[in-house]
Amino acid sequence: MVFDDLPTPSLILDWDKLARNCRNMAHRATAHGVRLRPHLKTAKCIEVARMATDGHFGGLTVSTVAEARYFAERGFRDITYAVGISSGKVDELHAIQSALNASINIILDSSAAAIAVSERAAAIGARFSVFIEIDTGAGRGGVGPNDKVLLEIASAIVSRPSLRLAGVLTHAGHSYLARSQDEIRTIAAQERAGAVLAADRLRRHGFQCEQVSIGSTPTVLNSDSFDGVTEIRPGVYTLFDVDQASLGVCGTGDIACSVLATVIGHNRRAGHILIDAGALALSKDISPAKFRDDVRFGLVSYADSLEPIPGLSLSSLHQEHGLISAHGRSLPYDQMPVGARLRVLPNHVCLTVAPYDKYFVLKDGRVMATWDKARGW
Amino acid sequence: MVFDDLPTPSLILDWDKLARNCRNMAHRATAHGVRLRPHLKTAKCIEVARMATDGHFGGLTVSTVAEARYFAERGFRDITYAVGISSGKVDELHAIQSALNASINIILDSSAAAIAVSERAAAIGARFSVFIEIDTGAGRGGVGPNDKVLLEIASAIVSRPSLRLAGVLTHAGHSYLARSQDEIRTIAAQERAGAVLAADRLRRHGFQCEQVSIGSTPTVLNSDSFDGVTEIRPGVYTLFDVDQASLGVCGTGDIACSVLATVIGHNRRAGHILIDAGALALSKDISPAKFRDDVRFGLVSYADSLEPIPGLSLSSLHQEHGLISAHGRSLPYDQMPVGARLRVLPNHVCLTVAPYDKYFVLKDGRVMATWDKARGW
């Protein structure tokens, strides 16, 4: 495949940036003496998983059963499905464990879930390692580190032969909303302290708590201490995006993934350049709007670059149309004739990447490979 | 497949509602003497295409090349690819036409596109029917009905043997933003008048303009007149959604598509019930926010119903987590224990449906079929 002949919209991966992002995180984990269990919900790609685990123990994190199957089928044997488990998913996870000789670790945050899952597991002869999910401030899943129910859940787990208590797990997702590096550091400290406190409480009450698993890209990259932590689970760092750049966690030059699009029209009356990448090709995520008002649905670069063109953004998305608008400048109609190719730097790359079947991987301006990926559920 | 055993998240189609929606639109088109060329970008499904074209001429509208191929491979022979064409898509559309004996009609709104596409078509022996896209107020693609360039584009088309001028086409997408039925009617009148004016101008200047193609679900359902119009291209009416219900174009009882999800946690401290359907399973579209502030990312019903539960909505979506919040009431934790199943009524069904591989079709409370669908590009 020649770059100029790629279909649009399509997903482009810049190999050098991806490799650098993976290397930096792997070094950071090694330097701090923690295991790296990268979250592959972002890239959903076996090649990225291999690069991201290079030099580490090979554990992965995923957020769908389809991803668990995809990575297990391709040789990964220690996978944490990091979304609260329900008994309806037990059969399929057991099938993956059995057929592929893999361990699928599950997470839960209630005795009710532990009981329901253990009963189904026992009925079909399954056994799972379980992390108790801790809420260290994100307010999504998890029990508070000091919650009384933490011990009840641990009791429910250890009393059931189909479950094994592996440790505690937390995700400081609210770090994505921080207004400064200082605030990220504060959240990172809470994330670590909350997870370690929960683990200590379990141990004081006689439970084994081998793993203390934390991590989001912002907190892991800004944390001062990993004391008491055994593993980290960042994900978006592999590809990065405009949201992470706007948060100050990376530069736009670190964004490894983009969407190649074609100019399909000029609407000079309305003041738009139209491209064939819309809401499905990019997602309608507007996360960077928390930090800056000049991004809207994504930034735009020329096809041979990943340098955002100043004063241009995707102001509106329809299902398969993206509308580029200018602010504080005029639209460069002449530099973007109908048929020209552009790249869009995604706002939230996890959502942008998800529906595609594959990446076209670019190195030194050439398409060096096509990489398949997981999708769906 | 038994309904209670369906995996989650998954896409559920209520057959009776789908059939009624399709029948009503087909009758309306017949009653007004216009061809119905339904837009299958919404459902992306061969079974829905068959139901939607029942009693009509069998033409379809699509918005991706993948959809064009999918429907042509399954027997549809007259398909309008209704996104501005670029020469990079000519080879694949020609391959579909040749291999499957289909006509893929294209749309464009500039002489530059006509020239580029005709040159590529001529080079590979392709020929396409072309609609000139008219902007009747949406401000997306298209030339104004009175624009001088309309005639230049027509000249560019008819002077090239690889292209044939089929007519004019418009889409009043701004009807989705209307604040009242009266405003929709006004937009519908502009849509019709603009398309007919453009067609008349072409004819006065000696061009053939056989087809005058208009339509969005809101304008078609609220229009008083189709004089001069030959075909309509609504799409979202097949499934409907919370946005259309909020706009007043349908009732929530007409929504035929929903996402089945499982309760995976209770976070009483934060005041959420968590489900396993998040931003990827639902999309981050918040279109109904234009009309009402109690919807956010979607409405919720119990699994055996499609009646939204008052005072509940999805207040926040993460990649694979949805967070249900209550307003003006308390959260029904006891009615929604961990493991319970719910359905989410989607905000903008076109975006929700897109990444799934299939529908589970429900009739009389039972899963009567699994229908595959197109996806991607």
Side-chain angles (χ1 to χ4, degrees), chain B residues 14-33:
Chain B
D14 279 69
W15 193 90
D16 288 338
K17 293 180 182 190
L18 167 69
R20 187 178 65 205
N21 295 341
C22 288
R23 206 164 49 232
N24 287 349
M25 186 62 81
H27 288 170
R28 186 166 176 79
T30 302
H32 286 280

PDB file of all heavy atoms in Angstrom, chain B residues 14-33:
ATOM      1  N   ASP B  14     -36.819  -3.959  17.967  1.00  0.00           N
ATOM      2  CA  ASP B  14     -38.207  -4.396  18.185  1.00  0.00           C
ATOM      3  C   ASP B  14     -38.916  -4.465  16.835  1.00  0.00           C
ATOM      4  O   ASP B  14     -39.194  -3.437  16.209  1.00  0.00           O
ATOM      5  CB  ASP B  14     -38.913  -3.419  19.131  1.00  0.00           C
ATOM      6  CG  ASP B  14     -38.570  -3.712  20.580  1.00  0.00           C
ATOM      7  OD1 ASP B  14     -37.395  -3.488  20.944  1.00  0.00           O
ATOM      8  OD2 ASP B  14     -39.444  -4.190  21.327  1.00  0.00           O
ATOM      9  N   TRP B  15     -39.218  -5.685  16.418  1.00  0.00           N
ATOM     10  CA  TRP B  15     -39.706  -5.905  15.063  1.00  0.00           C
ATOM     11  C   TRP B  15     -40.995  -5.146  14.786  1.00  0.00           C
ATOM     12  O   TRP B  15     -41.146  -4.526  13.734  1.00  0.00           O
ATOM     13  CB  TRP B  15     -39.904  -7.403  14.809  1.00  0.00           C
ATOM     14  CG  TRP B  15     -40.109  -7.711  13.357  1.00  0.00           C
ATOM     15  CD1 TRP B  15     -39.139  -7.999  12.442  1.00  0.00           C
ATOM     16  CD2 TRP B  15     -41.360  -7.718  12.649  1.00  0.00           C
ATOM     17  NE1 TRP B  15     -39.702  -8.194  11.209  1.00  0.00           N
ATOM     18  CE2 TRP B  15     -41.064  -8.031  11.298  1.00  0.00           C
ATOM     19  CE3 TRP B  15     -42.684  -7.501  13.007  1.00  0.00           C
ATOM     20  CZ2 TRP B  15     -42.043  -8.125  10.316  1.00  0.00           C
ATOM     21  CZ3 TRP B  15     -43.666  -7.580  12.025  1.00  0.00           C
ATOM     22  CH2 TRP B  15     -43.349  -7.891  10.698  1.00  0.00           C
ATOM     23  N   ASP B  16     -41.941  -5.186  15.708  1.00  0.00           N
ATOM     24  CA  ASP B  16     -43.238  -4.544  15.469  1.00  0.00           C
ATOM     25  C   ASP B  16     -43.082  -3.042  15.227  1.00  0.00           C
ATOM     26  O   ASP B  16     -43.719  -2.487  14.333  1.00  0.00           O
ATOM     27  CB  ASP B  16     -44.181  -4.777  16.659  1.00  0.00           C
ATOM     28  CG  ASP B  16     -44.669  -6.220  16.728  1.00  0.00           C
ATOM     29  OD1 ASP B  16     -44.631  -6.910  15.687  1.00  0.00           O
ATOM     30  OD2 ASP B  16     -45.073  -6.664  17.817  1.00  0.00           O
ATOM     31  N   LYS B  17     -42.231  -2.420  16.026  1.00  0.00           N
ATOM     32  CA  LYS B  17     -42.048  -0.972  15.866  1.00  0.00           C
ATOM     33  C   LYS B  17     -41.332  -0.650  14.560  1.00  0.00           C
ATOM     34  O   LYS B  17     -41.685   0.291  13.841  1.00  0.00           O
ATOM     35  CB  LYS B  17     -41.278  -0.412  17.066  1.00  0.00           C
ATOM     36  CG  LYS B  17     -42.091  -0.511  18.348  1.00  0.00           C
ATOM     37  CD  LYS B  17     -41.363   0.030  19.564  1.00  0.00           C
ATOM     38  CE  LYS B  17     -42.276  -0.180  20.783  1.00  0.00           C
ATOM     39  NZ  LYS B  17     -41.791   0.499  21.984  1.00  0.00           N
ATOM     40  N   LEU B  18     -40.309  -1.433  14.269  1.00  0.00           N
ATOM     41  CA  LEU B  18     -39.598  -1.262  13.005  1.00  0.00           C
ATOM     42  C   LEU B  18     -40.557  -1.403  11.829  1.00  0.00           C
ATOM     43  O   LEU B  18     -40.568  -0.576  10.900  1.00  0.00           O
ATOM     44  CB  LEU B  18     -38.489  -2.316  12.902  1.00  0.00           C
ATOM     45  CG  LEU B  18     -37.839  -2.493  11.537  1.00  0.00           C
ATOM     46  CD1 LEU B  18     -37.015  -1.268  11.165  1.00  0.00           C
ATOM     47  CD2 LEU B  18     -36.956  -3.744  11.515  1.00  0.00           C
ATOM     48  N   ALA B  19     -41.373  -2.443  11.856  1.00  0.00           N
ATOM     49  CA  ALA B  19     -42.306  -2.692  10.752  1.00  0.00           C
ATOM     50  C   ALA B  19     -43.297  -1.539  10.606  1.00  0.00           C
ATOM     51  O   ALA B  19     -43.585  -1.082   9.488  1.00  0.00           O
ATOM     52  CB  ALA B  19     -43.045  -4.011  10.981  1.00  0.00           C
ATOM     53  N   ARG B  20     -43.782  -1.056  11.745  1.00  0.00           N
ATOM     54  CA  ARG B  20     -44.741   0.051  11.695  1.00  0.00           C
ATOM     55  C   ARG B  20     -44.081   1.318  11.151  1.00  0.00           C
ATOM     56  O   ARG B  20     -44.647   2.018  10.308  1.00  0.00           O
ATOM     57  CB  ARG B  20     -45.304   0.303  13.096  1.00  0.00           C
ATOM     58  CG  ARG B  20     -46.426   1.314  13.144  1.00  0.00           C
ATOM     59  CD  ARG B  20     -46.962   1.469  14.562  1.00  0.00           C
ATOM     60  NE  ARG B  20     -45.941   2.025  15.442  1.00  0.00           N
ATOM     61  CZ  ARG B  20     -45.899   1.858  16.768  1.00  0.00           C
ATOM     62  NH1 ARG B  20     -46.810   1.120  17.369  1.00  0.00           N
ATOM     63  NH2 ARG B  20     -44.954   2.417  17.489  1.00  0.00           N
ATOM     64  N   ASN B  21     -42.873   1.597  11.620  1.00  0.00           N
ATOM     65  CA  ASN B  21     -42.173   2.789  11.128  1.00  0.00           C
ATOM     66  C   ASN B  21     -41.959   2.716   9.614  1.00  0.00           C
ATOM     67  O   ASN B  21     -42.139   3.705   8.895  1.00  0.00           O
ATOM     68  CB  ASN B  21     -40.820   2.941  11.832  1.00  0.00           C
ATOM     69  CG  ASN B  21     -40.957   3.213  13.320  1.00  0.00           C
ATOM     70  OD1 ASN B  21     -42.014   3.626  13.785  1.00  0.00           O
ATOM     71  ND2 ASN B  21     -39.884   2.973  14.076  1.00  0.00           N
ATOM     72  N   CYS B  22     -41.544   1.540   9.145  1.00  0.00           N
ATOM     73  CA  CYS B  22     -41.290   1.378   7.706  1.00  0.00           C
ATOM     74  C   CYS B  22     -42.588   1.519   6.904  1.00  0.00           C
ATOM     75  O   CYS B  22     -42.623   2.172   5.860  1.00  0.00           O
ATOM     76  CB  CYS B  22     -40.648   0.018   7.432  1.00  0.00           C
ATOM     77  SG  CYS B  22     -38.945  -0.091   7.994  1.00  0.00           S
ATOM     78  N   ARG B  23     -43.633   0.883   7.393  1.00  0.00           N
ATOM     79  CA  ARG B  23     -44.919   0.892   6.699  1.00  0.00           C
ATOM     80  C   ARG B  23     -45.464   2.323   6.602  1.00  0.00           C
ATOM     81  O   ARG B  23     -45.909   2.753   5.539  1.00  0.00           O
ATOM     82  CB  ARG B  23     -45.889   0.009   7.490  1.00  0.00           C
ATOM     83  CG  ARG B  23     -47.007  -0.597   6.706  1.00  0.00           C
ATOM     84  CD  ARG B  23     -47.650  -1.742   7.495  1.00  0.00           C
ATOM     85  NE  ARG B  23     -47.968  -1.367   8.865  1.00  0.00           N
ATOM     86  CZ  ARG B  23     -47.592  -2.074   9.949  1.00  0.00           C
ATOM     87  NH1 ARG B  23     -46.878  -3.179   9.813  1.00  0.00           N
ATOM     88  NH2 ARG B  23     -47.931  -1.669  11.157  1.00  0.00           N
ATOM     89  N   ASN B  24     -45.389   3.051   7.719  1.00  0.00           N
ATOM     90  CA  ASN B  24     -45.929   4.417   7.712  1.00  0.00           C
ATOM     91  C   ASN B  24     -45.223   5.292   6.674  1.00  0.00           C
ATOM     92  O   ASN B  24     -45.865   6.063   5.963  1.00  0.00           O
ATOM     93  CB  ASN B  24     -45.785   5.053   9.098  1.00  0.00           C
ATOM     94  CG  ASN B  24     -46.760   4.466  10.102  1.00  0.00           C
ATOM     95  OD1 ASN B  24     -47.681   3.727   9.729  1.00  0.00           O
ATOM     96  ND2 ASN B  24     -46.550   4.770  11.373  1.00  0.00           N
ATOM     97  N   MET B  25     -43.914   5.177   6.611  1.00  0.00           N
ATOM     98  CA  MET B  25     -43.188   6.025   5.661  1.00  0.00           C
ATOM     99  C   MET B  25     -43.466   5.587   4.226  1.00  0.00           C
ATOM    100  O   MET B  25     -43.620   6.423   3.327  1.00  0.00           O
ATOM    101  CB  MET B  25     -41.687   5.983   5.948  1.00  0.00           C
ATOM    102  CG  MET B  25     -40.861   6.935   5.108  1.00  0.00           C
ATOM    103  SD  MET B  25     -41.248   8.714   5.348  1.00  0.00           S
ATOM    104  CE  MET B  25     -40.308   9.060   6.846  1.00  0.00           C
ATOM    105  N   ALA B  26     -43.542   4.293   4.009  1.00  0.00           N
ATOM    106  CA  ALA B  26     -43.823   3.804   2.659  1.00  0.00           C
ATOM    107  C   ALA B  26     -45.190   4.296   2.189  1.00  0.00           C
ATOM    108  O   ALA B  26     -45.357   4.726   1.035  1.00  0.00           O
ATOM    109  CB  ALA B  26     -43.752   2.275   2.631  1.00  0.00           C
ATOM    110  N   HIS B  27     -46.179   4.245   3.080  1.00  0.00           N
ATOM    111  CA  HIS B  27     -47.519   4.740   2.735  1.00  0.00           C
ATOM    112  C   HIS B  27     -47.481   6.238   2.438  1.00  0.00           C
ATOM    113  O   HIS B  27     -48.122   6.703   1.497  1.00  0.00           O
ATOM    114  CB  HIS B  27     -48.504   4.471   3.882  1.00  0.00           C
ATOM    115  CG  HIS B  27     -48.867   3.032   4.016  1.00  0.00           C
ATOM    116  ND1 HIS B  27     -49.576   2.533   5.084  1.00  0.00           N
ATOM    117  CD2 HIS B  27     -48.621   1.963   3.202  1.00  0.00           C
ATOM    118  CE1 HIS B  27     -49.751   1.230   4.936  1.00  0.00           C
ATOM    119  NE2 HIS B  27     -49.168   0.858   3.807  1.00  0.00           N
ATOM    120  N   ARG B  28     -46.728   6.962   3.239  1.00  0.00           N
ATOM    121  CA  ARG B  28     -46.663   8.411   3.051  1.00  0.00           C
ATOM    122  C   ARG B  28     -46.063   8.742   1.677  1.00  0.00           C
ATOM    123  O   ARG B  28     -46.558   9.618   0.969  1.00  0.00           O
ATOM    124  CB  ARG B  28     -45.825   9.031   4.174  1.00  0.00           C
ATOM    125  CG  ARG B  28     -45.810  10.536   4.167  1.00  0.00           C
ATOM    126  CD  ARG B  28     -45.263  11.112   5.468  1.00  0.00           C
ATOM    127  NE  ARG B  28     -45.184  12.564   5.362  1.00  0.00           N
ATOM    128  CZ  ARG B  28     -46.215  13.388   5.495  1.00  0.00           C
ATOM    129  NH1 ARG B  28     -47.402  12.909   5.777  1.00  0.00           N
ATOM    130  NH2 ARG B  28     -46.054  14.695   5.339  1.00  0.00           N
ATOM    131  N   ALA B  29     -44.997   8.036   1.315  1.00  0.00           N
ATOM    132  CA  ALA B  29     -44.371   8.285   0.011  1.00  0.00           C
ATOM    133  C   ALA B  29     -45.352   7.960  -1.114  1.00  0.00           C
ATOM    134  O   ALA B  29     -45.495   8.724  -2.079  1.00  0.00           O
ATOM    135  CB  ALA B  29     -43.095   7.456  -0.127  1.00  0.00           C
ATOM    136  N   THR B  30     -46.034   6.834  -0.984  1.00  0.00           N
ATOM    137  CA  THR B  30     -47.006   6.443  -2.004  1.00  0.00           C
ATOM    138  C   THR B  30     -48.125   7.473  -2.110  1.00  0.00           C
ATOM    139  O   THR B  30     -48.511   7.897  -3.215  1.00  0.00           O
ATOM    140  CB  THR B  30     -47.596   5.056  -1.670  1.00  0.00           C
ATOM    141  OG1 THR B  30     -46.522   4.118  -1.592  1.00  0.00           O
ATOM    142  CG2 THR B  30     -48.587   4.608  -2.737  1.00  0.00           C
ATOM    143  N   ALA B  31     -48.619   7.892  -0.946  1.00  0.00           N
ATOM    144  CA  ALA B  31     -49.733   8.845  -0.930  1.00  0.00           C
ATOM    145  C   ALA B  31     -49.353  10.158  -1.615  1.00  0.00           C
ATOM    146  O   ALA B  31     -50.208  10.811  -2.223  1.00  0.00           O
ATOM    147  CB  ALA B  31     -50.170   9.105   0.516  1.00  0.00           C
ATOM    148  N   HIS B  32     -48.079  10.530  -1.509  1.00  0.00           N
ATOM    149  CA  HIS B  32     -47.648  11.802  -2.098  1.00  0.00           C
ATOM    150  C   HIS B  32     -47.037  11.621  -3.487  1.00  0.00           C
ATOM    151  O   HIS B  32     -46.531  12.582  -4.067  1.00  0.00           O
ATOM    152  CB  HIS B  32     -46.665  12.503  -1.167  1.00  0.00           C
ATOM    153  CG  HIS B  32     -47.333  13.110   0.033  1.00  0.00           C
ATOM    154  ND1 HIS B  32     -47.983  14.324  -0.017  1.00  0.00           N
ATOM    155  CD2 HIS B  32     -47.487  12.657   1.302  1.00  0.00           C
ATOM    156  CE1 HIS B  32     -48.495  14.610   1.176  1.00  0.00           C
ATOM    157  NE2 HIS B  32     -48.212  13.603   1.991  1.00  0.00           N
ATOM    158  N   GLY B  33     -47.047  10.405  -3.984  1.00  0.00           N
ATOM    159  CA  GLY B  33     -46.572  10.179  -5.342  1.00  0.00           C
ATOM    160  C   GLY B  33     -45.085  10.392  -5.533  1.00  0.00           C
ATOM    161  O   GLY B  33     -44.639  10.804  -6.612  1.00  0.00           O
TER     162      GLY B  33
END
